Amino acid sequence: INYNFDERYLFEANLRADASSRIAQENRTTFLPSFSVGWRISEEAFFPDNNILSTLKIRGSWGQLGNQGALTNFNYTALIDLSASTPIIGGTPRLGGAQTRMANRDIKWETTETTNIALDATFFRNRLGLTAELYNRLTRDILVAVTIPTSTGLRPPTQNAGTVRNSGYELALNWKDDIGEFKYGARFNFHDNINEVTNLNGLPELPPSNDQITRLGEPINSLYGLNVLRFYTEDDFNTDGSLKEGVPSSFSNVRPGDFLYEDIDGNNVINDDDRQILGNGIPRMNWGLDLYASYSGFDLSVSFLGVGKRDVVLKRFIGYPLINESAWSTLFEWQLEDYWTPQNKDARFSRFEDGLNRVNNFRVNSRYIFDASYFRVRNITLGYTLPNQLTSKIGIASFRIFISGQNLFTVSNLPKGIDPLIPFNTSGNFYPVTAVYTGGLSLNF
């Protein structure tokens, strides 16, 4: 339903129905409404005609969307796996089957509810444009696998067991003008988002998974690891190589130059119970800037972008030196520049491994977490269009030649060779971002 009264009062309402065969029949279909309203204040009779504020509009919306992408087929029913059981009957193995995953017939759609309010305005005879928006996005009934007692012998079922809030603001500015034949403009956008887990069906947190944890009051899938206090030193050991009283023991027989982690529970033993939230990979303070200009057939455009806050962890092949997993070893220049030696005790990384103490040092910890904020020159394009007076004589409507470069320059705090857009919890399975140079021409007849 769409209603427009005199180009001043705007209203729109939608209702959609989604159904999925991955959900049991009683919850299979969900109805998702949404509506929006707008008021074009600049169309009112009382709006003054001036050279500063040209147009003004306020708008707001509320709506819901559904998601079932976390589900696989037949989550809601008990399946028998014929490869999961081979009973011995009469001394002979027989083909058998067993249920491997607990079913949950109460699964329903994950629902995201978004509320926003925004302002659109233009200034100086529409040369300057402004859009400012506040939003609150609440995702309910998040589909996750909640741990069940191991005595069941089954994998946990998928459940609707969480609520996550994303709230923030967006700002966009654009300017366009011309001075005679010279035309120029700029577009700037900025977006900040705060992610927070607000409900886990009464649980304080979900069990850690893949070095990540979902905890009440924290961003979803926060990075979970050990905080490095310092290195073990010679003063921490007795003459026989044992640790002195009061020095926490760790995952293996440590030596000087190994990481000494923070003992969270104070039991003088470092283990997985001492892990804590060290960061998260959800980008914050995203921004972009586009500049463009044209004069006498020449045109130039430059595009920048960046992120103000984001964490990444580098582990295994991309982070740990001389890991030697399955006969593969890695060693990067930045690791060689800052590892512990008796002469470099203020290093960032632990001593190089001899294969005996990998258990302690090669764990997700604060020394392998990096600031992934960045600034990038995304694109520069320079072109020239021949005058129409010239091209029309040879039967060509337009002729333009151009050169362009993409991903030309990046500034970040990551080690050399590591791109800031790598996955959050990466082991090195990604392709690097490459610079691309292009030249060409465009003909229209």
Side-chain angles (χ1 to χ4, degrees):
I1 299 174
N2 191 300
Y3 180 72
N4 179 343
F5 178 77
D6 199 26
E7 298 298 329
R8 290 182 292 168
Y9 311 116
L10 312 173
F11 174 79
E12 182 176 323
N14 299 276
L15 178 65
R16 60 179 288 158
D18 288 329
S20 172
S21 61
R22 294 180 173 181
I23 299 175
Q25 185 67 43
E26 52 267 32
N27 295 318
R28 180 160 295 169
T29 302
T30 184
F31 295 93
L32 304 164
S34 65
F35 71 88
S36 62
V37 294
W39 180 24
R40 300 181 66 186
I41 302 174
S42 53
E43 296 299 316
E44 298 284 0
F46 61 77
F47 190 81
D49 184 11
N50 58 74
N51 294 324
I52 299 178
L53 182 59
S54 305
T55 63
L56 180 63
K57 174 185 176 182
I58 59 173
R59 52 186 170 86
S61 66
W62 175 92
Q64 292 182 336
L65 287 175
N67 177 44
Q68 47 86 50
L71 297 176
T72 57
N73 294 326
F74 309 111
N75 281 93
Y76 62 88
T77 191
L79 296 180
I80 303 300
D81 187 347
L82 295 181
S83 65
S85 178
T86 307
I88 306 298
I89 301 177
T92 303
R94 303 289 183 179
L95 178 65
Q99 182 181 348
T100 58
R101 182 183 61 199
M102 182 175 287
N104 180 12
R105 197 167 183 85
D106 293 328
I107 298 172
K108 58 184 178 180
W109 282 79
E110 183 179 299
T111 303
T112 298
E113 179 181 296
T114 302
T115 305
N116 82 311
I117 184 169
L119 179 146
D120 301 314
T122 61
F123 304 85
F124 311 119
R125 299 300 181 187
N126 296 317
R127 285 180 293 179
L128 174 63
L130 166 67
T131 297
E133 181 173 349
L134 296 173
Y135 67 89
N136 184 70
R137 185 175 299 116
L138 201 63
T139 303
R140 295 187 174 94
D141 300 320
I142 292 179
L143 295 162
V144 294
V146 178
T147 299
I148 59 176
T150 56
S151 58
T152 64
L154 301 173
R155 300 200 308 272
T158 301
Q159 302 181 42
N160 298 100
T163 302
V164 173
R165 182 189 309 277
N166 285 277
S167 57
Y169 62 92
E170 298 180 5
L171 177 67
L173 292 167
N174 65 82
W175 173 272
K176 58 181 180 180
D177 196 11
D178 59 81
I179 304 173
E181 195 177 349
F182 179 68
K183 298 179 180 180
Y184 69 100
R187 291 186 295 267
F188 174 77
N189 63 82
F190 185 89
H191 169 221
D192 195 12
N193 178 80
I194 298 175
N195 179 280
E196 180 188 2
V197 178
T198 60
N199 181 32
L200 290 173
N201 282 8
L203 296 174
E205 62 185 40
L206 299 181
S209 174
N210 194 27
D211 301 313
Q212 298 177 56
I213 193 169
T214 296
R215 178 177 290 172
L216 202 63
E218 300 286 348
I220 192 171
N221 295 328
S222 295
L223 179 61
Y224 199 51
L226 298 161
N227 182 44
V228 177
L229 287 180
R230 58 178 178 86
F231 296 107
Y232 284 98
T233 68
E234 294 87 345
D235 295 335
D236 295 320
F237 297 87
N238 297 308
T239 55
D240 62 356
S242 61
L243 288 169
K244 291 182 178 179
E245 184 177 355
V247 179
S249 62
S250 195
F251 296 91
S252 61
N253 295 323
V254 292
R255 298 193 312 193
D258 292 332
F259 289 131
L260 174 57
Y261 301 112
E262 184 177 359
D263 184 13
I264 295 295
D265 52 20
N267 63 357
N268 215 40
V269 176
I270 304 298
N271 53 34
D272 283 340
D273 293 335
D274 294 304
R275 289 180 294 174
Q276 57 185 289
I277 291 177
L278 301 175
N280 72 86
I282 301 175
R284 291 195 57 187
M285 294 178 283
N286 301 268
W287 63 272
L289 175 64
D290 297 323
L291 306 174
Y292 57 93
S294 65
Y295 177 76
S296 188
F298 289 94
D299 61 89
L300 174 68
S301 64
V302 185
S303 177
F304 309 92
L305 57 80
V307 167
K309 186 176 182 181
R310 180 176 180 252
D311 300 310
V312 297
V313 58
L314 305 181
K315 60 183 184 180
R316 295 192 62 196
F317 301 112
I318 197 64
Y320 305 148
L322 302 177
I323 189 171
N324 196 28
E325 288 190 9
S326 303
W328 291 93
S329 294
T330 57
L331 188 60
F332 294 92
E333 181 179 355
W334 51 271
Q335 294 167 337
L336 285 169
E337 293 174 345
D338 199 12
Y339 70 97
W340 186 93
T341 66
Q343 296 76 35
N344 186 28
K345 296 182 178 181
D346 294 326
R348 179 184 180 108
F349 306 108
S350 62
R351 64 183 175 89
F352 274 176
E353 294 299 316
D354 54 10
L356 298 177
N357 204 24
R358 186 178 304 117
V359 176
N360 183 77
N361 294 338
F362 288 176
R363 293 180 176 271
V364 171
N365 65 58
S366 55
R367 295 296 175 91
Y368 291 108
I369 297 173
F370 293 83
D371 174 13
S373 59
Y374 71 94
F375 162 84
R376 170 170 287 165
V377 180
R378 185 178 185 182
N379 183 273
I380 298 178
T381 299
L382 175 64
Y384 177 70
T385 302
L386 292 178
N388 289 333
Q389 299 91 325
L390 178 61
T391 57
S392 60
K393 294 180 180 179
I394 54 178
I396 299 176
S398 66
F399 180 97
R400 178 176 180 266
I401 187 170
F402 68 92
I403 56 174
S404 176
Q406 186 174 346
N407 299 323
L408 299 179
F409 182 71
T410 301
V411 177
S412 78
N413 295 316
L414 285 168
K416 183 179 178 180
I418 307 296
D419 189 85
L421 295 182
I422 61 174
F424 162 55
N425 197 15
T426 182
S427 297
N429 300 323
F430 60 87
Y431 287 102
V433 174
T434 57
V436 179
Y437 301 90
T438 306
L441 55 88
S442 176
L443 285 171
N444 289 311
F445 297 93

